[in-house]
Amino acid sequence: MPLPRLIPCLDVAAGRVVKGIKFQGLRDVGDPVELGAAYSDAGADELVFLDISATVDAGLSAVDVAARVAEQVTIPFTFGGGIRTLDDATAVLEAGADKISVNSAALARPELIEELARVLGSQAVVVAIDTEDGRVRSHAATRDAVRDTLEWARECEQRGAGELLVTSIDRDGTQNGYDLELLARLRDAVSLPVIASGGAGNAQHIAAALEVSQAALLASILHERPARLVTLREELRDLGVNLRDAA
Amino acid sequence: MTGHTVAICRYGAGNVRSVELALARLGAELVDDVEGADLAILPGVGSARSAMEGLKERGTDVVLRERHAAGKPILGICLGLQLALDESEEDGGVPGLGLVPGRAVRLHSERVPRIGWAQVEPVGSDLLGQSLFRSEPTGVSDLGLRRGGEAFWFAHSYAAETEATVATSEGVSAIVEHGSFTGVQFHPEKSGAAGARFLERCLSRA
C-alpha cells in the first residue's frame, strides 16, 4: 500500500478560503493559493479544495482557482464543488488539478460517475459522500439523499469511482474523532482508497483513522495554520505512522 | 538547465499543464516540435484506447517511433509509459506504440486504483551502476532515487510488465528504460521536490 496520506482540506467560496462548523457560519480565512502552498511546504501529501458555495450558488471560477494553485503547488490536488458535467471536470483537470470530486451531481445522476471515469480515468474521479447515521446527505449536507451510505459507496465503486471522500457530518468540525466504525465498514464494503473526513481533533484520532483508511482529510484541526501540520506530522511519527519524508 | 528544448506531446489525454509548469520551473524551453526537441515527453492520464486514438489522429505515434529509432530521448509519464509498451490489457486489449517490449496489466493491489506516495527503489544492486542514465554510472543517486527509497506520487490501475523495468515500487514497475525511452509510472510533475529533482536529471541528460 502507498504511504498513508494527510490531506488538508480548504473550503473555498467565491475564490477565498472560508471556514465554518457543520457547514454553517462561514468566514474568510485566506487565499487558496497561499494557504495551499504553505500546507505543501509543511508536508501535506495532497490538497483538497472544495467550493462549498457552488452547489448552492453556481457562480464559481473553479478553473481559475485550479490554474492558480497548479502554478504554485507541486503536490497533487483535488477540486470539488459545482462539477456537474464531463466538460466541467475536464476544464478543471486541464487547468492542472489531478482529481475532481463530485457529490450532489453524482447523487442526482449516478451515470455521471461512469462518464467521468471512462474519459478521465478512475484515478481522477473522487466521489465525496456526506453521511450521517448511515444515510447520505446532499447539497452541502442540507438534504436527505435517501440512500444508505454503504450501498452508495458500493455503487460508486461499480460505476468507476477511483476514491471515496467520506465526511461524517455529525463529526465535522467537532474535533471529537473520526467515525471509526463507519470507516471500518467502508473498508470492508469497497476496495477503493477511502479518505476519512470529519472529526480530527488530535494525532491519536488521525492515527486511528489511518488504520482503517488510506488518507485523512484535515480541516478544522489545522485552523489554517500550516505550522500545525508540521507538529501533527511529528506527533504521528511518534505514534508509529509511516509518513512520507517530504524533504 | 536552460538551453534544453522540451516538447510535450499534446493528444487530448490529460495533465499537460502540470508537466508544462514543472518544466518551466526548471528553466526548460517548451517547444512544439516533438521530432526535433532535445527531450520529448509523452504524458497521459485516462484510458489507453482513447489516448492511442489521439496519438494516431495527430500522427504523433509515427513521430515517436522515429524519434525512438533515432535514439533521441523520450520520457513517458504514467499512461505515457503504458502506451510505449507493445499492448495494454485495458478495455479488452489495446495495441501500444511498441517502443518497449512488454504489456500493461491490471494491478492486483489491495486497493485499486493505487493512489498515493510510495517508495521507488532500483531493481537489484547490480543495476545500481548502469540503470537510469547508463552514461552516468552514479545515475540512480543523481536522480534522487536514494537507496532506501524515495517516495513519488502514483495514481494508476494498470502497470507495466516488462523486462525493461529498472526500478519498482511495492513490487510494481515504477521506471522502465529501453533504448532512448524512459518511462515512469509515477507523476514526477506532482511529486514535490523529489519529482523536480527527477525531472531535472532527465533534462540534464537530454
Side-chain angles (χ1 to χ4, degrees), chain B:
Chain B
M1 254 358 100
T2 48
H4 285 91
T5 56
V6 178
I8 302 170
C9 301
R10 294 163 184 286
Y11 60 105
N15 86 331
V16 170
R17 183 69 187 139
S18 300
V19 177
E20 262 179 9
L21 288 165
L23 287 158
R25 276 183 212 110
L26 294 173
E29 184 190 343
L30 298 170
V31 297
D32 292 329
D33 179 11
V34 175
E35 199 180 338
D38 294 328
L39 175 66
I41 297 186
L42 182 60
V45 295
S47 94
R49 186 177 303 283
S50 61
M52 273 311 292
E53 283 166 7
L55 284 175
K56 285 180 185 165
E57 274 168 27
R58 292 162 179 80
T60 311
D61 57 334
V62 176
V63 176
L64 286 172
R65 283 196 189 98
E66 287 171 359
R67 200 182 153 90
H68 191 241
K72 295 179 184 171
I74 305 171
L75 174 66
I77 299 175
C78 195
L79 181 62
L81 154 60
Q82 296 174 19
L83 296 177
L85 301 164
D86 292 324
E87 64 168 338
S88 168
E89 70 174 24
E90 208 179 317
D91 276 344
V94 178
L97 291 167
L99 307 183
V100 180
R103 54 202 301 265
V105 298
R106 176 91 185 164
L107 283 173
H108 296 288
S109 311
E110 191 181 329
R111 301 269 151 184
V112 179
R114 177 173 179 260
I115 295 177
W117 297 79
Q119 290 171 342
V120 172
E121 298 207 63
V123 175
S125 56
D126 58 322
L127 270 174
L128 257 182
Q130 57 167 326
S131 77
L132 286 180
F133 315 152
R134 290 175 177 121
S135 57
E136 304 229 359
T138 56
V140 171
S141 56
D142 284 359
L143 274 173
L145 283 193
R146 300 167 186 162
R147 292 290 280 168
E150 186 158 34
F152 294 85
W153 192 74
F154 291 79
H156 60 128
S157 300
Y158 291 79
E161 205 173 64
T162 169
E163 289 177 6
T165 296
V166 296
T168 60
S169 174
E170 304 181 302
V172 173
S173 177
I175 307 179
V176 308
E177 252 199 341
H178 190 73
S180 61
F181 180 88
T182 301
V184 290
Q185 184 56 62
F186 53 83
H187 286 277
E189 78 281 11
K190 287 290 181 172
S191 293
R197 280 194 294 276
F198 183 90
L199 286 174
E200 190 166 27
R201 192 64 191 80
C202 291
L203 267 185
S204 65
R205 182 179 76 147

Side-chain angles (χ1 to χ4, degrees), chain A residues 1-3 5 45-46 70-71 74-77 94-96 98 118 120 123 162-163 187 190-193 244, chain B residues 17-18 21 25 45-47 110-118 150-151 153 155 170 189-193 197:
Chain A
M1 296 277 280
L3 299 168
R5 286 170 284 156
D45 294 303
E46 293 179 15
E71 281 175 15
T74 60
I75 58 169
F77 66 96
E94 283 181 353
D98 301 277
R118 195 181 311 126
L120 308 172
Q123 87 293 331
E163 214 165 25
R187 173 197 57 197
V190 297
S191 63
L192 298 177
R244 161 178 84 103
Chain B
R17 183 69 187 139
S18 300
L21 288 165
R25 276 183 212 110
V45 295
S47 94
E110 191 181 329
R111 301 269 151 184
V112 179
R114 177 173 179 260
I115 295 177
W117 297 79
E150 186 158 34
W153 192 74
E170 304 181 302
E189 78 281 11
K190 287 290 181 172
S191 293
R197 280 194 294 276

